[in-house]
Amino acid sequence: MNFYADYVRNKLNAAISSMSSQIEDYVKNPGHDFTRNRKMNFTSTINFLLTMEGGSLNSELHKYFNYDLNQITRSGFIKQRNKLKPDTMEHLFHKFHEQILCNKKYQGYQLLACDGSDLNIFRDPLNPHTYFAGKEGTFGFNQLHLNALYDLQSRRYVDALIQEPYEENESSAMIEMIKKLTANQKTIIMADRGYETYNIFANIQERGLFYLIRIKDTSKKGSISGSLSLPVSCEFDEEIELIMTRKQKFYKTKGYKYLSNSSPFDFLDSENLFYTLHLRLTQFQLENGVYECIASNLDRDEFPLEKIKELYHMRWGIETSFRELKYTIGLTNLHSKNVEYICQEIYAKLILYNFCEIISANVILEERNCKYTYQLNYTMAIQICRHYLRQTFVTIDVEGLIKKEAFSKMKKTCIFLNLGFGPIVVEADLADALKNNQIAAAGLDVLCEEPMAANNPLYAIQDSRKLIITPHTAWASIQARNKLMDIIHQHIADFLA
């Protein structure tokens, strides 16, 4: 893994450490939970949730603890995860997202797609909140519904909301997530049919944001475009101003839109009888002859019809992300019937997805003189990132790793270099290897003790053809310093973006 991968992992570790330092906010019994010295503490419980794959709990625990016979038991882990508050993993999801900015834009705009997806969970007829009875002679099933906002350019989830199926309402979920976005930003929220409501349009307008939502075409009954008497079978691009009201006398008045009391609309009440909504309705024909209709509040000059078409096609990125989340990351592989535990795992998978995408987006594939363009193997990238993250809390003792036995296996022509960590080498054994011509030479930029101690055995090697020691300046080449300045410049630009 490269420098950037370490940077991303450190950001996630910092978020977990921050929560661990305020553990009373994230456990059910503050002052009691995670206070005793157990095989799984607060941090390792979260890390295990993040890196679980699709095996049984026992199998996953075996892998996590490197098949240690003294590992925690399945029931022991369940007791540990039960100590976490229901929103702990959701909090970590947001905390990690805030650590690394979404910098990729489209014409200076952040593109957020909103959609929902049903998640089949373990069958549990005793849970009336998630269980659907099957038809006669068939088994029923249990579901939850995941609503998400997905950044199409940065390819990561920025918000998520889990609903039980009998309370499922994608429109209200979208509005709840919209209200958490920073107001008055160049953000375009994109969605498919199903989010075709005046209330959503108004909420986005009130936040000072932008939207592009596919709606039913003018030929469909109940469509917004059809109610405005727009053409059925031709392309158009119309800007419309509607005055929303619940006053029935404006039911058929041109320029007004009457809403019954049963139609949700957050900006009409006894004191606010009217609300002005600005709409741009665009209809265009696809290659198969079908017409698509788009509602937006985007400027016509900045986003002409061709740009609207381009953005419409980009929205499908969230569909691809759901597929990767379910089948590559493993959201279909859950480890409990308990809805609280399932929600822990859903947010853990969302965090892992973002972690992998942030790192993968910075992978540079070697260009080859080939007919085809090489693409990253995302399935393999997930496995590598999961393994890499799993090693976060594994401490490897490397002091004295390179010693007499290692030097005896090297060729006599070997030139040994250490530019990283001084104590990795047993310096007395290195001195012996040089004296006895077991290796040809050595170049060191780091030592076990700096400045060099007077009794350092390497003082005995006075032949500069055999040993060169530099004063810990391997980082100071022109190329390294230029790269350092580039990284600092990029961090400043990211901060100010």
Side-chain angles (χ1 to χ4, degrees):
M1 287 288 178
N2 58 20
F3 165 80
Y4 189 75
D6 289 339
Y7 168 77
V8 176
R9 187 173 68 172
N10 290 341
K11 287 292 186 182
L12 179 55
N13 290 345
I16 298 171
S17 297
S18 172
M19 292 170 63
S20 180
S21 66
Q22 298 175 306
I23 194 170
E24 64 278 0
D25 294 333
Y26 304 105
V27 296
K28 295 175 181 175
N29 300 298
H32 180 268
D33 291 339
F34 294 108
T35 55
R36 298 177 64 185
N37 186 18
R38 299 285 187 182
K39 292 175 183 176
M40 285 190 91
N41 57 19
F42 176 84
T43 298
S44 55
T45 299
I46 286 179
N47 188 252
F48 179 69
L49 287 169
L50 291 175
T51 57
M52 272 198 300
E53 298 182 62
S56 67
L57 264 184
N58 279 333
S59 173
E60 292 301 316
L61 286 166
H62 279 307
K63 280 192 289 186
Y64 185 79
F65 287 99
N66 294 317
Y67 301 92
D68 184 349
L69 295 177
N70 294 316
Q71 71 178 41
I72 191 171
T73 63
R74 176 178 175 276
S75 60
F77 165 68
I78 292 172
K79 288 179 181 178
Q80 295 302 87
R81 78 182 307 184
N82 188 52
K83 295 174 181 177
L84 301 175
K85 279 186 176 179
D87 62 349
T88 295
M89 295 306 292
E90 180 183 0
H91 184 90
L92 178 59
F93 166 76
H94 290 291
K95 202 171 183 68
F96 175 53
H97 170 67
E98 291 165 2
Q99 296 288 316
I100 302 175
L101 298 176
C102 295
N103 290 318
K104 294 184 179 179
K105 307 289 169 106
Y106 176 91
Q107 294 185 189
Y109 287 81
Q110 182 182 26
L111 302 183
L112 298 181
C114 183
D115 206 352
S117 182
D118 289 328
L119 302 176
N120 291 321
I121 60 178
F122 283 109
R123 183 173 177 272
D124 183 8
L126 300 179
N127 187 337
H129 304 293
T130 63
Y131 182 69
F132 292 90
K135 295 180 181 179
E136 186 174 350
T138 63
F139 289 107
F141 59 93
N142 293 69
Q143 278 188 345
L144 289 172
H145 191 77
L146 175 63
N147 303 276
L149 274 180
Y150 180 77
D151 190 307
L152 293 165
Q153 296 294 95
S154 296
R155 289 178 54 86
R156 65 174 119 148
Y157 290 95
V158 302
D159 202 357
L161 188 65
I162 302 167
Q163 294 176 319
E164 293 181 341
Y166 294 109
E167 297 177 353
E168 177 188 329
N169 188 317
E170 289 190 333
S171 294
S172 65
M174 183 180 186
I175 289 171
E176 187 174 335
M177 291 187 287
I178 287 168
K179 289 179 177 178
K180 290 189 278 184
L181 295 174
T182 305
N184 302 311
Q185 297 293 308
K186 295 178 73 172
T187 299
I188 302 174
I189 299 161
M190 306 161 69
D192 203 5
R193 290 192 290 259
Y195 295 91
E196 180 182 348
T197 74
Y198 290 111
N199 197 29
I200 285 177
F201 301 160
N203 269 278
I204 297 174
Q205 179 176 289
E206 282 298 300
R207 296 292 293 171
L209 308 176
F210 301 89
Y211 59 88
L212 186 147
I213 298 176
R214 183 164 74 134
I215 63 176
K216 298 173 187 173
D217 64 54
T218 51
S219 65
K220 299 293 191 297
K221 184 178 180 181
S223 68
I224 288 176
S225 55
S227 69
L228 298 172
S229 302
L230 294 169
V232 175
S233 57
C234 69
E235 294 189 343
F236 59 79
D237 190 351
E238 300 286 341
E239 292 183 341
I240 298 166
E241 183 177 282
L242 281 179
I243 300 175
M244 318 302 293
T245 184
R246 295 198 190 278
K247 295 180 75 67
Q248 201 164 7
K249 71 177 183 178
F250 295 99
Y251 178 57
K252 291 188 177 181
T253 305
K254 187 175 181 180
Y256 287 80
K257 177 62 183 178
Y258 166 72
L259 296 176
S260 67
N261 290 328
S262 61
S263 298
F265 197 82
D266 297 338
F267 308 102
L268 291 176
D269 53 34
S270 58
E271 295 181 359
N272 300 283
L273 302 179
F274 302 98
Y275 181 87
T276 302
L277 183 66
H278 301 279
L279 281 171
R280 177 186 172 194
L281 296 181
T282 308
Q283 184 164 282
F284 52 85
Q285 191 173 27
L286 302 178
E287 291 180 358
N288 60 6
V290 174
Y291 284 94
E292 290 291 2
C293 195
I294 303 293
S296 76
N297 62 342
L298 297 171
D299 180 76
R300 186 185 289 174
D301 294 330
E302 190 175 5
F303 293 93
L305 183 59
E306 289 305 312
K307 290 289 184 183
I308 296 292
K309 290 181 182 179
E310 183 181 350
L311 288 170
Y312 160 72
H313 287 293
M314 290 175 69
R315 190 207 67 83
W316 291 97
I318 192 172
E319 305 286 353
T320 303
S321 77
F322 275 139
R323 184 172 66 248
E324 291 171 341
L325 182 66
K326 287 182 176 181
Y327 305 112
T328 308
I329 293 289
L331 189 53
T332 56
N333 302 317
L334 300 168
H335 297 84
S336 179
K337 290 184 178 181
N338 185 311
V339 171
E340 182 182 315
Y341 297 165
I342 291 171
C343 290
Q344 283 180 354
E345 294 188 35
I346 291 173
Y347 280 107
K349 301 299 184 190
L350 288 167
I351 295 166
L352 181 63
Y353 180 96
N354 284 355
F355 178 81
C356 296
E357 281 291 355
I358 293 168
I359 292 176
S360 299
N362 284 270
V363 171
I364 300 174
L365 297 178
E366 180 183 352
E367 292 188 11
R368 303 179 185 178
N369 187 23
C370 297
K371 180 179 179 181
Y372 302 103
T373 302
Y374 280 80
Q375 290 186 331
L376 183 70
N377 183 330
Y378 188 66
T379 301
M380 183 61 67
I382 293 293
Q383 296 302 318
I384 294 170
C385 288
R386 180 183 270 120
H387 177 75
Y388 175 64
L389 183 58
R390 188 173 283 162
Q391 304 310 307
T392 300
F393 304 101
V394 177
T395 302
I396 302 174
D397 185 5
V398 296
E399 288 195 21
L401 186 64
I402 300 174
K403 49 190 175 183
K404 184 183 297 185
E405 291 80 2
F407 290 119
S408 67
K409 295 176 182 177
M410 295 180 187
K411 293 182 179 180
K412 290 189 176 182
T413 55
C414 171
I415 298 175
F416 175 76
L417 300 176
N418 185 13
L419 311 178
F421 180 56
I424 198 172
V425 182
V426 177
E427 291 174 338
D429 292 348
L430 173 59
D432 289 341
L434 291 169
K435 287 178 191 175
N436 300 325
N437 297 315
Q438 285 183 291
I439 61 175
L444 307 177
D445 189 57
V446 288
L447 297 167
C448 292
E449 183 181 342
E450 297 174 9
M452 192 172 182
N455 61 347
N456 192 308
L458 293 173
Y459 268 123
I461 312 299
Q462 295 293 314
D463 187 347
S464 61
R465 293 170 299 177
K466 282 196 169 189
L467 177 63
I468 294 176
I469 302 175
T470 53
H472 208 143
T473 56
W475 66 273
S477 67
I478 293 174
Q479 295 91 336
R481 281 180 284 167
N482 285 338
K483 185 175 181 180
L484 179 63
M485 291 300 104
D486 289 342
I487 292 169
I488 293 172
H489 178 270
Q490 187 59 51
H491 286 340
I492 294 171
D494 291 347
F495 178 77
L496 296 175

